[in-house]
């Protein structure tokens, strides 16, 4: 398992020879899959909705510090059929592992290739410090118009340069127009902004900090995924069939992969989140073990059947340290304020004769 | 004796270092040190990152991809089909001469167990003085940070403004097409068409908003507690939004059903063009 303090980020890099690598097993995208066992031993992977053969998006080598999983590969498959594009079951993820160094067997099924015109890409990685990253994201929360609850956090704004904003502020102070007394600004702190998607702004910020990255890997029981949007955030409660533990977040594939493969342009999801068993169990002698994948899309039409998805998720900031009681109190206060507002509106509407 | 001790000491830390090096995980193999050859800056140059510097925009939504590829010719197509804009770079792409102006900047306070916590709240209006206007707000610890967030918020809340005539239809439209009213909290703002040359007859706060929306002549009436500037600004903004919601007789004719940009450019989206 990864150390909580580090997040690994993956980029795509074009290459001709996939097997010319320093690692023991390959991690790459777009090509024939390299299975660890003979592919005659299992069925070819098909879409559950339409029955077509699925294409392999990428495979990554993610070994763990455990004996039975020291050589572990994860494969992500996609169905490119238009009818399936609005359904969560158009993506599937599988895991293959072994104890000793396995023999790499390339699949002979050419239909697994996602984009025959493009070459294959190797996944290059960069390791970033999770604490620094968290601080950067808190700075982003402070400066972007997100709708998160007010938190008492100490945000370090040293590295941010406000050239443009300083000019605007100086112009505002210099302007000779009449200005009302600044202390008269209403004491109301909270203003609801219903249209703005706060999580999406932070996700976009993270992607501009590390441009063109594809994979964000952080396999830990306490690691949180970087959600694509604040609508339809799921609570993944699927369990491993062998050890009955809850599956935890392993990695996510971001939307930026679409710039490399034009075949994927029509897909509706924003990011894929892969959840897997924390102890990487060998389930009942199966060679290919299926794991949970969630395709996150903010459109209502997108179907996510098997996972608990609450369409009215309330916005939660990155570090919530408040206890449940405090949250309940805040909710009650908000409800009371809304009721008061409604009463004021009703009274005013009676006087309205415009 | 001392030498022997020193000789024994070095092997121990080496063994300790050897154990963590075997820690496994995605990306910890020898390949992590490989330099990137393709596009973009080499990874070693990522020093302390600037917030939102001038970096190239990679679109994350379908609409963003179409805009960046130049398939959508103007903002009005997006407004016509009521497609929500999630990326503010889309607005920057179409409107290069957007002006930002803060209208209200002041401290707001919140009571905490450790005294009071003051932050600054900024209301910013963004407009091109022709026919687009956006209103955004943000509260943050520093004034400049609040302005920055409010500008982005305003760009995401951009709306088109419909203009019309008071009397004869000569030259360009200069006033509101009809009487419209907007409300927020207890404030009601009513915009009334005015003849050419009247100018904007309004209080300072709403005058600025109407100027940046491109309206040249307008009478206004307001009601309620207009001293609460946030509600006053939002009420004016809602009134301007109403201009395109109002069905006037010249819109009575049948309009041809058009396909949305996603359907029209579905071939591009499927990767064939």
């Amino acid at each position: 398992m990864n150390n909580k303090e580090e997040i690994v980020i993956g980029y795509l890099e074009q290459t001709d020879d996939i097997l010319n690598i320093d690692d023991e097993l390959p991690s790459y995208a777009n090509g024939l899959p390299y299975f660890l066992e003979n592919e005659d031993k299992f069925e070819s992977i098909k879409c559950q909705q339409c029955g077509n053969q699925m294409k392999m998006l990428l495979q990554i080598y993610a070994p763990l510090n455990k004996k039975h999983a020291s050589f572990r590969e994860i494969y992500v498959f996609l169905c490119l059929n238009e009818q399936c594009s609005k359904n969560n079951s158009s993506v599937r993820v599988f895991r293959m592992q072994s104890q000793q160094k396995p023999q790499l067997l390339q699949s002979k099924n050419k239909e697994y290739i996602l984009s025959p015109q493009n070459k294959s890409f190797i996944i290059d990685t960069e390791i970033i410090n999770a604490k620094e990253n968290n601080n950067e994201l808190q700075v982003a929360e402070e400066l972007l118009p997100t709708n998160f609850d007010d938190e008492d956090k100490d945000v370090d704004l040293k590295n941010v340069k406000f050239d443009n904003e300083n000019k605007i502020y100086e112009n505002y102070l210099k302007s000779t127009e009449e200005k009302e007394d600044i202390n008269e600004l209403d004491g109301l702190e909270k203003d609801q902004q219903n249209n703005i998607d706060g999580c999406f702004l932070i996700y976009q910020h993270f992607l501009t900090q590390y441009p063109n990255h594809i994979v964000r890997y952080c396999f830990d029981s306490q690691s949180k995924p970087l959600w694509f949007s604040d609508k339809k955030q799921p609570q993944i409660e699927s369990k491993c069939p062998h050890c009955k533990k809850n599956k935890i977040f392993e990695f996510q594939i971001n939307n930026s992969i679409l710039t490399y493969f034009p075949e994927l342009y029509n897909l509706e999801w924003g990011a894929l989140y892969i959840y897997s068993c924390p102890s990487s169990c060998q389930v009942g002698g199966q060679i290919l073990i299926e794991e949970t994948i969630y395709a996150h899309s903010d459109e209502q039409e997108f179907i996510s059947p098997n996972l608990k998805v609450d369409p009215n998720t309330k916005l939660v900031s990155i570090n919530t340290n408040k206890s449940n009681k405090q949250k309940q109190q805040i909710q009650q206060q908000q409800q009371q304020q809304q009721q008061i507002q409604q009463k004021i509106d009703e009274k005013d509407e009676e006087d309205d004769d415009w | 004796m001392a030498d022997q001790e020193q000789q024994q000491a070095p092997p121990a830390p080496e063994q300790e270092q050897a154990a963590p090096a075997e820690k496994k995980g995605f990306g910890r193999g020898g390949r992590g040190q490989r330099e990137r050859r393709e596009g973009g800056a080499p990874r070693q140059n990522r020093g302390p990152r600037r917030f939102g510097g001038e970096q190239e925009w990679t679109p994350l939504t379908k609409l963003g991809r179409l805009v960046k590829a130049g398939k959508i010719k103007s903002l009005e197509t997006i407004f016509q089909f009521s497609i929500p804009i999630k990326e503010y770079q889309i607005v920057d792409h179409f409107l290069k001469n957007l002006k930002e102006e803060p209208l209200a900047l002041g401290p707001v306070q919140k009571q905490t167990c450790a005294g009071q916590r003051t932050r600054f709240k900024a209301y910013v209006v963004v407009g091109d003085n022709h026919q687009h206007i956006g209103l955004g707000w943000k509260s943050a610890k520093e004034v400049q940070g609040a302005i920055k967030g409010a500008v982005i918020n305003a760009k995401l809340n951009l709306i088109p403004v419909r203009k019309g005539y008071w009397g004869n239809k000569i030259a360009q439209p200069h006033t509101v097409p009809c009487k419209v009213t907007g409300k927020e909290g207890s404030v009601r703002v009513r915009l009334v068409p005015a003849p050419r040359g009247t100018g904007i007859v309004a209080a300072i706060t709403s005058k600025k908003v109407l100027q940046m929306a491109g309206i040249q002549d307008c009478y206004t009436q307001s009601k309620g507690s207009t001293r609460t500037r946030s509600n006053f600004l939002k009420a004016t903004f809602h009134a301007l939004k109403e201009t395109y919601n109002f069905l006037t007789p010249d819109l009575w004719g049948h309009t041809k059903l058009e396909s949305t940009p996603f359907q029209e450019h579905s071939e591009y989206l499927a990767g064939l063009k």
Side-chain angles (χ1 to χ4, degrees):
Chain A
M1 287 207 196
N2 253 5
N3 204 350
K4 265 190 276 184
E5 291 167 2
E6 287 171 338
I7 299 178
V8 186
I9 296 215
Y11 300 87
L12 285 188
E13 198 184 316
Q14 214 168 35
T15 181
D16 285 328
D17 185 7
I18 301 171
L19 292 179
N20 178 19
I21 45 165
D22 307 324
D23 240 342
E24 289 142 336
L25 294 181
S27 302
Y28 76 105
N30 183 31
L32 288 167
Y34 278 91
F35 292 121
L36 306 184
E37 306 229 8
N38 201 339
E39 64 171 340
D40 298 330
K41 290 187 186 174
F42 51 84
E43 287 180 349
S44 66
I45 291 148
K46 297 202 174 152
C47 174
Q48 283 162 337
Q49 291 280 110
C50 61
N52 282 351
Q53 169 107 34
M54 296 181 111
K55 315 261 176 189
M56 186 187 78
L57 179 64
L58 48 78
Q59 67 177 81
I60 68 168
Y61 170 55
L64 300 179
N65 266 333
K66 310 198 178 199
K67 265 195 188 170
H68 63 277
S70 27
F71 294 92
R72 181 170 169 268
E73 283 265 344
I74 298 188
Y75 306 86
V76 177
F77 292 93
L78 281 180
C79 178
L80 291 183
N81 200 354
E82 263 189 62
Q83 295 159 356
C84 298
S85 59
K86 293 209 173 179
N87 202 321
N88 196 64
S89 46
S90 66
V91 285
R92 289 174 87 181
V93 64
F94 292 96
R95 157 168 61 94
M96 245 188 188
Q97 60 195 30
S98 98
Q99 228 166 333
Q100 300 108 9
K101 176 150 185 185
Q103 208 187 11
L104 277 178
L105 298 164
Q106 191 176 32
S107 165
K108 288 179 192 155
N109 193 348
K110 293 222 165 160
E111 299 211 7
Y112 276 134
I113 302 182
L114 178 67
S115 171
Q117 299 136 7
N118 278 351
K119 289 189 184 178
S120 307
F121 294 84
I122 277 198
I123 298 183
D124 234 351
T125 54
E126 179 185 346
I127 299 180
I128 60 177
N129 191 340
K131 274 188 188 169
E132 275 177 23
N133 186 44
N134 234 5
N135 284 343
E136 282 176 12
L137 289 182
Q138 281 196 339
V139 169
E141 243 186 78
E142 173 80 0
L143 296 176
L144 289 171
T146 54
N147 207 0
F148 300 142
D149 275 337
D150 300 334
E151 289 273 341
D152 296 318
K153 46 188 184 234
D154 290 319
V155 178
D156 188 15
L157 291 176
K158 273 186 225 161
N159 291 334
V160 191
K161 297 198 181 176
F162 289 120
D163 302 325
N164 221 6
E165 284 72 35
N166 277 328
K167 279 187 216 163
I168 299 177
Y169 186 41
E170 280 163 16
N171 285 342
Y172 173 76
L173 292 175
K174 279 184 205 165
S175 68
T176 50
E177 290 174 1
E178 292 174 47
K179 277 195 293 264
E180 294 172 33
D181 200 2
I182 282 192
N183 289 329
E184 297 281 344
L185 198 66
D186 44 0
L188 285 174
E189 255 254 39
K190 298 206 175 157
D191 251 329
Q192 289 299 318
Q193 324 188 73
N194 298 319
N195 301 333
I196 308 293
D197 196 343
C199 276
F200 178 76
L201 289 172
I202 293 188
Y203 175 86
Q204 194 186 32
H205 176 71
F206 186 74
L207 281 187
T208 49
Q209 298 277 298
Y210 303 96
N212 287 332
H213 82 261
I214 305 294
V215 168
R216 177 180 172 269
Y217 186 97
C218 187
F219 193 22
D220 193 88
S221 52
Q222 294 182 11
S223 67
K224 288 182 196 168
L226 195 70
W227 293 113
F228 175 69
S229 144
D230 57 38
K231 298 179 198 160
K232 299 181 104 181
Q233 282 183 8
Q235 282 174 326
I236 309 283
E237 289 183 358
S238 46
K239 298 190 179 175
C240 172
H242 185 77
C243 63
K244 310 291 181 195
K245 280 191 227 169
N246 268 341
K247 291 192 181 176
I248 61 176
F249 172 68
E250 182 156 5
F251 67 99
Q252 65 182 88
I253 302 178
N254 289 328
N255 225 349
S256 30
I257 204 172
L258 268 56
T259 51
Y260 292 97
F261 305 119
E263 285 85 353
L264 299 178
Y265 270 22
N266 218 355
L267 293 185
E268 306 279 341
W269 44 262
L272 297 173
Y273 299 90
I274 285 109
Y275 288 75
S276 60
C277 173
S279 35
S280 195
C281 305
Q282 192 79 29
V283 179
Q286 290 174 19
I287 303 172
L288 269 184
I289 304 158
E290 181 149 15
E291 299 283 15
T292 320
I293 186 168
Y294 178 66
H296 197 180
S297 158
D298 54 353
E299 294 175 40
Q300 290 260 321
E301 303 162 342
F302 198 85
I303 307 170
S304 318
N306 297 327
L307 309 167
K308 248 194 200 174
V309 172
D310 183 13
N312 302 321
T313 41
K314 291 215 172 135
L315 302 170
V316 175
S317 134
I318 293 178
N319 287 328
T320 38
N321 294 326
K322 287 186 185 165
S323 63
N324 278 335
K325 271 190 190 174
Q326 282 176 336
K327 283 185 194 170
Q328 279 174 8
Q329 278 173 6
I330 292 174
Q331 278 180 6
Q332 280 172 3
Q333 280 173 6
Q334 280 178 352
Q335 281 172 1
Q336 282 171 2
Q337 277 181 2
Q338 279 175 7
Q339 283 171 0
I340 295 173
Q341 273 284 307
Q342 278 177 1
K343 282 184 189 169
I344 294 176
D345 281 343
E346 279 168 31
K347 277 189 191 168
D348 278 326
E349 278 181 28
E350 288 165 8
D351 305 335
D352 242 354
D353 49 343
W354 286 354
Chain B
M1 281 291 283
D3 290 337
Q4 282 177 1
E5 279 174 9
Q6 279 172 4
Q7 279 167 7
Q8 281 169 9
E14 275 175 14
Q15 283 170 5
E16 284 167 2
Q17 281 168 16
E22 285 176 8
K23 191 190 298 186
K24 292 193 173 178
F26 169 59
R28 287 174 199 282
R31 211 191 317 119
Q33 317 308 323
R34 188 197 285 196
E35 277 182 22
R36 286 183 72 205
R37 286 176 248 123
E38 201 181 336
R43 260 183 281 142
Q44 289 104 14
N45 284 1
R46 286 190 211 281
R49 243 165 299 273
R50 266 197 190 192
F51 180 88
E54 279 91 37
Q55 284 155 341
E56 211 196 303
W57 165 45
T58 41
L60 293 172
T61 50
K62 261 194 190 172
L63 185 69
R65 263 175 260 141
L66 288 177
V67 164
K68 182 133 195 230
K71 299 284 176 180
I72 298 191
K73 301 297 174 192
S74 75
L75 256 185
E76 324 312 315
T77 338
I78 303 182
F79 289 135
Q80 185 180 357
F81 296 102
S82 304
I83 305 172
I85 300 179
K86 289 187 107 175
E87 302 180 81
Y88 65 91
Q89 290 95 340
I90 295 177
V91 172
D92 282 333
H93 180 265
F94 285 115
L95 300 175
K96 314 270 182 187
N97 301 331
L98 219 50
K99 280 186 210 142
E100 305 130 355
E101 184 143 348
L103 288 181
L105 276 177
V108 286
Q109 291 175 343
K110 179 181 150 173
Q111 197 75 26
T112 59
C113 49
Q116 287 169 333
R117 186 197 64 180
T118 29
R119 306 203 306 176
F120 289 94
K121 191 159 186 180
Y123 284 84
V124 167
V125 144
V126 140
D128 62 347
N129 279 21
H130 185 46
Q131 57 186 16
H132 295 107
I133 189 112
L135 174 68
W137 58 90
K138 172 87 179 118
S139 66
K141 268 197 187 162
E142 294 180 25
V143 183
Q144 291 90 338
I147 294 179
K148 200 185 192 92
V151 164
I152 297 180
N153 193 3
K155 287 182 185 167
L156 293 173
N157 280 336
L158 203 78
I159 55 162
V161 165
R162 186 174 182 206
K163 296 190 281 190
Y165 297 97
W166 173 82
N168 291 334
K169 293 192 170 58
I170 37 176
Q172 294 295 313
H174 57 105
T175 184
V176 204
C178 54
K179 295 180 192 171
V180 286
T181 174
K183 65 176 178 181
E184 177 77 32
S186 73
V187 179
R188 306 283 181 266
V189 169
R190 188 188 202 203
L191 306 177
V192 172
R196 208 179 285 272
T198 323
I200 301 178
V201 180
I204 333 154
T205 344
S206 43
K207 185 169 183 170
K208 201 71 209 171
V209 178
L210 293 169
Q211 269 175 351
M212 294 194 80
I215 292 182
Q216 292 156 19
D217 314 285
C218 191
Y219 292 127
T220 57
Q221 288 169 321
S222 59
K223 183 173 163 182
S225 175
T226 56
R227 291 181 83 209
T228 45
R229 263 183 299 172
S230 56
N231 288 350
F232 196 20
L233 286 171
K234 287 184 211 173
T236 330
F237 184 70
H238 288 316
L240 288 171
K241 215 175 189 182
E242 277 293 304
T243 54
Y244 259 119
N245 279 347
F246 205 100
L247 191 76
T248 54
D250 49 325
L251 295 175
W252 282 354
H254 289 287
T255 49
K256 207 170 147 190
L257 200 64
E258 289 176 12
S259 50
T260 66
F262 300 133
Q263 289 165 343
E264 204 182 308
H265 301 286
S266 60
E267 287 177 347
Y268 172 75
L269 285 175
L272 296 174
K273 273 191 186 167

